[in-house]
Amino acid sequence: MSRRIYIESLLALGGKKNKDSVEYLADQLLIRDKKSKVEYTVKKVVIDDNGKPVVICYRYYGPEKGNKKVYIKLNHQDFGKYERV
């Protein structure tokens, strides 16, 4: 898939285009690890130098929601391990 098609598809999902990525300003795109059932919010999608998408996600942790975030980076080979919520 070409870089342009990735970006157009992400914009259709509600993303906002920046210089080298597409960011999601609302918590509208959640994904879940199929094995652990942990949910992540998609923050942005970057197209790497090889034209493959890289997804940056986060989730909250700590005693109260909103305290701290942990970020993960998903390469295209990891996509099969996650599902849309």
Side-chain angles (χ1 to χ4, degrees), residues 31-40 78-85:
I31 60 172
R32 178 181 328 158
D33 184 307
K34 291 179 181 178
K35 187 174 181 181
S36 69
K37 304 299 183 199
V38 174
E39 294 181 358
Y40 296 90
D78 298 324
F79 291 171
K81 299 175 187 175
Y82 294 84
E83 60 191 359
R84 189 171 178 185
V85 177

Side-chain angles (χ1 to χ4, degrees), residues 23-48:
E23 293 193 9
Y24 290 89
L25 302 178
D27 296 339
Q28 59 189 353
L29 186 56
L30 297 175
I31 60 172
R32 178 181 328 158
D33 184 307
K34 291 179 181 178
K35 187 174 181 181
S36 69
K37 304 299 183 199
V38 174
E39 294 181 358
Y40 296 90
T41 302
V42 175
K43 175 65 178 164
K44 69 174 146 179
V45 179
V46 179
I47 308 301
D48 69 12

